[in-house]
């Protein structure tokens, strides 16, 4: 029941490679903080200066919050290894105020793991912005669908639950900033997503990587029981277009996530074909 007592809703995330240092600094001024990660090993932590630098490696094992930076932070504060240049991120850890400098520490710009990771910013809106959210999210196993082409369609079909609703926005996700995204909404869908009437469309050129909420140019009136489809055309200049998806169930040593996808929910098709594939039959949802 707590899910329906929220004050804010997460509307957007922006994923920025840690090597894009200037962009991250600009966004830290706007948002105040971002999530990132590194590989923690006490051997590389200087307990005197509360500074961390690991010169090699590519796998992370700990998530932290970046809250600031100092371009002039001395490279001599790091031990046992010393980076080539000054500069470090000011990081808030989750191990309490008794650790580090009242819970904070410094990570060198040149830390091998952190600089290969992604900064993730979170943008919230008031819960009153939108009253309802239609989605299929059964698991957390990140993945995607692709036809190994530079273009593809992905779609979800929903049934309106309320009376007199207005569909005003759509959420979508992209893996990088190489995308052009075109959103289409079909109303009075009979079976496959495009079997209804196209009522509105919106194109977004080169959004940042992450999840985004985009307002539609025209609100779509929905009555209870109306089937509607959100169709997303993904286009990339090079490589392959990938539509984010929640995949089959996931189980590890410390959590289990169960995905239950039902027929008729999520579809995909190549731009070279008019035949939609029901990917929810394969335990996937967009």
């Amino acid at each position: 029941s707590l899910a329906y007592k929220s004050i804010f809703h997460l509307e957007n995330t922006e994923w920025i490679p840690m090597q894009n240092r200037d962009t991250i600094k600009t966004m830290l001024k706007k948002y105040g903080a971002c999530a990132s990660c590194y590989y923690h090993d006490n051997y590389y932590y200087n307990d005197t200066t509360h500074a961390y630098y690991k010169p090699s490696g590519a796998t992370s094992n700990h998530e932290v919050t970046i809250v600031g930076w100092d371009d002039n932070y001395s490279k001599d504060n790091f031990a046992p290894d010393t980076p080539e240049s000054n500069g470090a991120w000011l990081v808030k850890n989750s191990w309490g105020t008794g650790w580090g400098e009242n819970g904070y520490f410094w990570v060198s710009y040149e830390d091998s793991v952190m600089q290969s990771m992604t900064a993730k910013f979170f943008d919230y809106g008031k819960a009153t912005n939108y009253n309802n959210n239609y989605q299929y999210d059964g698991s957390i196993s990140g993945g995607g669908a692709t036809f190994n082409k530079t273009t593809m369609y992905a779609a979800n079909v929903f049934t309106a639950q309320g009376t007199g609703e207005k569909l005003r926005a759509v959420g979508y996700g992209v893996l990088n900033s190489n995308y052009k995204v075109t959103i289409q909404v079909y109303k009075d869908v009979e079976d496959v997503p495009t079997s209804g009437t196209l009522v509105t469309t919106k194109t977004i050129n080169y959004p940042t990587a992450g999840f985004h909420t985009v307002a539609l140019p025209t609100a779509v009136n929905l009555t209870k029981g109306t089937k509607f489809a959100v169709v997303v055309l993904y286009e990339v200049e090079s490589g392959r277009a990938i539509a984010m998806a929640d995949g089959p169930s996931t189980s590890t040593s410390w959590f289990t996530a169960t995905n239950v996808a039902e027929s008729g929910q999520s579809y995909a098709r190549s731009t070279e074909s008019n035949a939609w594939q029901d990917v929810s039959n394969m335990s996937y949802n967009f």
Side-chain angles (χ1 to χ4, degrees), residues 7-13 31 121-127 129:
I7 299 173
F8 301 103
H9 290 157
L10 179 62
E11 293 187 359
N12 300 282
T13 67
Y31 291 106
F121 293 86
F122 303 90
D123 177 36
Y124 294 85
K126 292 182 179 179
N129 286 354

Side-chain angles (χ1 to χ4, degrees), residues 18 31 36 41 50 65 105 199 228 251:
M18 285 298 301
Y31 291 106
S36 189
D41 184 335
H50 313 297
T65 302
F105 69 118
V199 289
F228 65 98
S251 183

Side-chain angles (χ1 to χ4, degrees), residues 232-278:
V232 181
L233 170 62
Y234 294 94
E235 302 175 86
V236 293
E237 292 182 347
S238 60
R240 56 180 184 165
I242 299 175
M244 287 186 184
D246 281 327
S249 303
T250 300
S251 183
T252 74
S253 60
W254 58 283
F255 77 87
T256 298
T258 303
N259 182 36
V260 181
E262 299 179 1
S263 177
Q265 294 179 341
S266 296
Y267 295 82
R269 78 171 175 86
S270 166
T271 53
E272 300 171 353
S273 170
N274 291 322
W276 286 95
Q277 298 181 28
D278 188 337

